[in-house]
Amino acid sequence: MAEDTLVSQFKRFLVGRPIPTSRAHEERFSRVTGLAILSSDCLSSVAYSVEEVLRVLVVGGLAALTYSPPIAILIATLLIIVTFSYRQTIYAYPGGGGAYIVAHENLGVYAGLVAAASLFIDYTLTVAVSIASGVAALTSALPALAPRRLELALIFVFLLTLGNLRGVRESGRIFAVPTYVFAVSLLALLATGLWRAMTGTLQPVVQIAPLHVAGGTLTIFALLTAFSNGCSAMTGVEAISNAVPGFRPPETKHASQTLITMALLAVTLIVGLGVMTSMYHVVPAAHETVLSQLARGIFSGRGLLYYIVQGATMLILVLAANTAYAGFPRLASIVARDRFLPRQFMNQGDRLAFSNGILVLTFFAAVLLIIFHADTHRLIPLYMIGVFLSFTLSQTGMVLRWRRLRTSGWRSSAFVNGLGAIVTAGVLLVVTITKTPEGAWIILMLIPALVVIFIETRHHYDHVASQLTLRGWEPDPKRKNTVLIPIGGLHRAVVQALRYARTLSTDVRAVYVSTNAEATETVRRDWELWGQGVPLVVLDSPYRSLMEPLLDYIRHIDAETPDDYVTVILPEFVPARWWQQLLHNQNALLIKAALLFRPNTIVTSVPFHLRN
């Protein structure tokens, strides 16, 4: 009990006291916490999406960097279209689920599973990319930390996991301030940069170890690659539609307002940063982010305002992973409800969080960070296929839904979603073509692999249900029960097990495996005194194996009466301390494992507790 109490106290210290189910309504998002938790991914992605555009454009020389503003405007337009498409999804599917529910209901089971697989991959990469980018922002301001970026990334993953295990309200308090500080600091950065341009005090950023400027011809393929890189700013748009039930009533109204607010902020930041990088002639550098250079140039060096921007950027990029921690577990619970994932994903922990989904997301995100050494630029190519595939399936499903229901104003609604489907499908094609050579082929293999896992999981549950159903089942006639008690000697635990066994059946047998003649004779003598009239079966074991003779004997009994039960009673003494168990053999555990998959065989432990 002492050990259990210590474990329980440590758990309470980490994740807090349990929250009763009756208080579940208190653990929902307000618009303030919803914007902080669910939009941090979309808002923060502008910090690295503009840089990813410039890293491609720089191949065409300094003049090619002027393409940054029009590409930013194109991405912002795309974001607006997708936002209005998902706004309709919120009202059409107030139960949440996003792309999975929409595709499953309107395009079929397989389309829904593809959408779910895409979203799971997207959420996992969101954690890895966001945290890697946050660490990059930190090491840009403090270059001495650069060699420890992987360790820093894993520490941030642990802290995020801990915050989410503590529940929605706790994570809302933790993550709200950095999100709003980031938004305000970047808006201040853009306003200051615009003021400098208007007053003629604008000075180009002083370059520190910029990337090599090739000065070659910028091809159409390079422009498409730059555009697809910038589309990383679109990640996280669907998170709010996935989590509609997580908002306070009226859920759809609050979710819709939060989505529009997020879109307005994201569009402002994307276009503003795209214009500013061109105005201040920012060139991507190897060891400093574009946003760091821009803040250094606009705020005239590494002063207080510079460090506020970098600190807020680092925090929101790390905390942007929280969008995935909000979306992944909820989506997993919905998919598990449909029996395509293990049912454990439906369980809520002590703090009313979907703890199993949180822990699984943590594990796979940490694996990605370790494999790619927390390098944002190596992770980005894997990122967007899943995002735009789920976008396209969701919007296409919505179009079919409007055509099927034909409610008032269905044509205009179908047009909005149809435009979203066409645009996102076009971007998906561009992203697939440009990113597959860079490693995105892994995603193209992972998605069907996950779909196969979903289908096999559902087949298993259906198979189990078909065999457990009582429909049309007639109970078997009464069966005989042969009770066996394997013993290794005679002591109080065996005598107690004998008493219990005799309450179960009239056919009780003790089984002793003989490996030593003298020990066997001792057991026979003691059995006459303490055996309570139960017959003793002695099995010879010339090769000193304890398991094989016992299993052969059980198979022999089962072959004689295949329709009857065989119950194996295991006398076990339980030491007062857990570590003392290591000092004794584990024969009972081996017998349980060996008999687990035998039909009509029941294994029961009869514990005898030793005093301290």
Side-chain angles (χ1 to χ4, degrees), residues 527-587:
W527 195 257
E528 292 178 3
L529 181 61
W530 298 101
Q532 306 175 39
V534 173
L536 175 66
V537 178
V538 178
L539 305 176
D540 290 326
S541 180
Y543 297 103
R544 298 163 303 284
S545 170
L546 297 177
M547 293 292 296
E548 285 303 317
L550 176 61
L551 296 177
D552 287 341
Y553 185 67
I554 293 173
R555 281 192 288 266
H556 172 71
I557 295 175
D558 192 41
E560 287 183 343
T561 54
D563 294 328
D564 291 344
Y565 294 116
V566 176
T567 298
V568 179
I569 302 292
L570 300 176
E572 294 187 75
F573 58 85
V574 182
R577 295 285 183 263
W578 66 267
W579 58 267
Q580 294 169 346
Q581 188 70 41
L582 303 175
L583 304 177
H584 303 278
N585 65 52
Q586 306 298 319
N587 288 337

Side-chain angles (χ1 to χ4, degrees), residues 85-96 101-102 105 252 398 401-402 405 417:
S85 296
Y86 270 106
R87 183 175 179 273
Q88 297 194 146
T89 303
I90 287 173
Y91 285 103
Y93 290 91
I101 294 294
V102 176
E105 182 176 304
T252 52
M398 286 298 295
R401 182 182 188 275
W402 296 126
L405 297 180
N417 288 122

Side-chain angles (χ1 to χ4, degrees), residues 60-401:
L62 294 177
L65 297 180
T66 57
Y67 286 104
S68 177
I71 289 177
I73 292 170
L74 186 59
I75 294 169
T77 304
L78 177 61
L79 177 59
I80 292 170
I81 294 171
V82 172
T83 297
F84 278 98
S85 296
Y86 270 106
R87 183 175 179 273
Q88 297 194 146
T89 303
I90 287 173
Y91 285 103
Y93 290 91
Y100 167 69
I101 294 294
V102 176
H104 185 279
E105 182 176 304
N106 299 289
L107 299 175
V109 173
Y110 292 107
L113 295 180
V114 170
S118 302
L119 286 171
F120 283 135
I121 293 171
D122 173 32
Y123 284 136
T124 306
L125 283 164
T126 292
V127 176
V129 171
S130 297
I131 288 180
S133 300
V135 171
L138 178 61
T139 55
S140 292
L142 303 172
L145 295 177
R148 298 294 180 186
R149 66 183 183 186
L150 177 58
E151 291 87 342
L152 289 169
L154 294 177
I155 289 172
F156 287 139
V157 169
F158 171 76
L159 293 176
L160 275 172
T161 303
L162 196 59
N164 280 277
L165 288 174
R166 294 185 68 90
V168 168
R169 284 203 303 172
E170 292 279 353
S171 61
R173 294 190 189 106
I174 295 170
F175 305 140
V177 173
T179 301
Y180 290 108
V181 170
F182 172 79
V184 171
S185 63
L186 252 66
L187 290 174
L189 175 74
L190 297 179
T192 305
L194 184 61
W195 173 257
R196 285 183 175 277
M198 293 172 61
T199 56
T201 58
L202 183 153
Q203 294 291 332
V205 173
V206 177
Q207 303 297 330
I208 302 175
L211 294 179
H212 176 66
V213 180
T217 303
L218 197 65
T219 64
I220 296 296
F221 184 81
L223 282 172
L224 291 175
T225 302
F227 170 71
S228 66
N229 280 7
C231 285
S232 58
M234 299 283 295
T235 59
V237 175
E238 80 291 340
I240 293 175
S241 70
N242 288 344
V244 176
F247 281 87
R248 293 174 183 171
E251 293 87 346
T252 52
K253 178 183 177 181
H254 288 156
S256 175
Q257 291 173 343
T258 305
L259 178 66
I260 296 299
T261 304
M262 178 191 73
L264 290 174
L265 280 172
V267 165
T268 303
L269 296 179
I270 291 167
V271 175
L273 289 176
V275 171
M276 287 297 155
T277 54
S278 179
M279 291 171 58
Y280 281 81
H281 305 296
V282 177
V283 179
H287 302 294
E288 185 180 11
T289 64
V290 163
L291 188 56
S292 172
Q293 294 184 58
L294 197 58
R296 181 164 52 80
I298 291 176
F299 292 137
S300 303
R302 296 176 183 259
L304 176 62
L305 293 177
Y306 166 83
Y307 282 108
I308 290 175
V309 170
Q310 286 303 103
T313 302
M314 182 273 291
L315 284 175
I316 195 175
L317 281 168
V318 171
L319 300 182
N322 199 60
T323 300
Y325 276 99
F328 185 104
R330 288 182 179 275
L331 178 61
S333 72
I334 293 171
V335 177
R337 182 191 64 195
D338 293 338
R339 297 184 292 176
F340 290 108
L341 277 178
R343 290 172 178 166
Q344 290 90 327
F345 285 104
M346 297 170 60
N347 300 337
Q348 287 183 296
D350 289 350
R351 303 285 293 181
L352 297 178
F354 293 104
S355 306
N356 292 325
I358 290 171
L359 294 175
V360 168
L361 175 60
T362 295
F363 172 77
F364 285 110
V367 168
L368 275 176
L369 286 168
I370 292 169
I371 291 174
F372 293 95
H373 204 70
D375 187 339
T376 308
H377 308 300
R378 293 173 63 193
L379 287 164
I380 285 287
L382 309 178
Y383 201 9
M384 288 165 299
I385 288 181
V387 177
F388 282 95
L389 180 55
S390 63
F391 283 173
T392 303
L393 289 172
S394 175
Q395 302 314 306
T396 304
M398 286 298 295
V399 172
L400 296 180
R401 182 182 188 275

